[in-house]
């Protein structure tokens, strides 16, 4: 079945035909008989939908069409099939019959007067109805008329001609999701299993060496997870690459790896800002922490610390080179 949602027809002939018993079935209304005739005249790729049947000039409404479909289903002429195929995929399609199928009418009652009936594909390509208790039953389809019956003589095969070989059943295409899953499992298996064509005793290539910045960032990445707890940022990879960038900048400024690592540890956070990291680097190079009373910042300005032992009055005032007359008067000289 190329189209898994296609119409399946239970037919006795190779052309559209309504049997006389079907046309004279008094259980069917003229509306239901007209809907059945229209469905039997469609191609296999056509999907029976009440919305489509109710469209067009001279057609009845959707409710009227659905009522006719239920009438056909109750008398064994029509049903919807929820089809499950051997590869696990599913589809929904209709089934119509040129003559009443007793099993279809029974299934309609068994499933609570519902149009849809669950069916399961078998190895031979046929379908079986799956009931609520898990058992399988016949789907009510008659054998294909083209298949030779027991009374048809087998073709005479000459001894000089090779016997005809049975045709291989066309393999169904694998669904995309199943193909992706199989490819992923195969790649994982190949990654765990050593290559078969590898030369015995051949050494594996050594892992790629890390740069000095990556070594420091990797150490602090593990250190922070162990001592500061799990990282709660949006992306852990962004955290790590941020540490690498800060390490590269510090090493380029001629800080040592040990100083960079201790500076990261001084910050006490998973991913310090550039300002926090620079302050920690400065503290580490001075080899002494800033006073805790200032929160790690430099001490405020102090005259004694700046100018030495002269006291807090600032730098000494230089002596005047000329004597000043104490009795001199200062004022504005008129022009």
């Amino acid at each position: 079945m190329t189209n898994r949602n296609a119409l399946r027809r239970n037919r006795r002939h190779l052309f559209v035909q309504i049997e006389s018993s079907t046309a004279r079935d008094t259980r069917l209304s003229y509306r239901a008989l007209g809907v059945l005739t229209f469905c039997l005249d469609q191609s296999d790729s056509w999907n029976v939908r009440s919305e489509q049947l109710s469209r067009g000039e001279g057609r009845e409404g959707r409710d009227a069409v659905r009522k006719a479909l239920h009438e056909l289903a109750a008398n064994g002429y029509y049903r919807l099939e929820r089809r499950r195929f051997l590869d696990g995929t599913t589809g929904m399609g209709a089934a119509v019959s040129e003559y009443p199928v007793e099993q279809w009418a029974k299934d309609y009652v068994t499933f609570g007067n519902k149009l849809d009936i669950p069916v399961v594909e078998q190895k031979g390509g046929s379908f079986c109805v799956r009931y609520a208790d898990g058992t399988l039953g016949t789907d009510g389809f008659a054998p294909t008329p083209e298949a030779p019956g027991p009374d048809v003589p087998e073709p005479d095969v000459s001894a000089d001609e090779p016997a005809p070989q049975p045709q291989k059943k066309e393999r169904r295409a694998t669904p995309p999701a199943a193909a992706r899953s199989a490819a992923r499992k195969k790649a994982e298996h190949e990654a765990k299993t050593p290559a078969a064509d590898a030369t015995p005793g051949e050494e594996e290539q050594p892992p790629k060496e890390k740069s000095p910045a990556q070594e420091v960032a990797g150490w602090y990445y593990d250190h922070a997870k162990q001592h500061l707890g799990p990282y709660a940022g949006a992306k852990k990879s962004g955290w790590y690459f941020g540490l690498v960038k800060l390490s590269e900048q510090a090493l380029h400024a001629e800080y040592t790896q040990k100083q960079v690592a201790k500076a990261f540890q001084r910050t006490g956070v998973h991913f310090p800002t550039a300002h926090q990291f620079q302050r920690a680097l400065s503290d580490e190079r001075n080899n002494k922490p800033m006073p805790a009373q200032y929160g790690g910042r430099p001490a405020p300005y102090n005259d004694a610390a700046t100018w030495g032992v002269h006291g807090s009055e600032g730098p000494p005032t230089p002596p005047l080179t000329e004597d000043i007359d104490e009795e001199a008067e200062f004022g504005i000289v008129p022009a």
Side-chain angles (χ1 to χ4, degrees), residues 120-144:
V120 182
E121 185 184 18
Q122 305 302 303
K123 290 186 177 180
S126 60
F127 287 84
C128 288
V129 178
R130 180 184 291 276
Y131 295 99
D133 58 357
T135 59
L136 300 178
T138 177
D139 65 346
F141 269 78
T144 306

Side-chain angles (χ1 to χ4, degrees), residues 5-8 47-50 66 69-70 73 77-83 91-96 104 107-108 111 114-119 129:
N5 299 325
L7 174 69
R8 288 207 303 155
N47 295 330
V48 180
R49 296 291 184 269
S50 57
R66 289 184 61 85
L69 292 176
H70 276 276
Y77 289 95
Y78 168 82
R79 72 179 180 190
L80 280 173
E81 293 179 336
R82 287 186 281 111
R83 301 165 186 167
M92 178 72 79
V96 294
W104 290 14
D107 291 339
Y108 177 78
F111 287 95
K114 292 184 178 180
L115 293 178
D116 55 313
I117 305 296
V119 296
V129 178

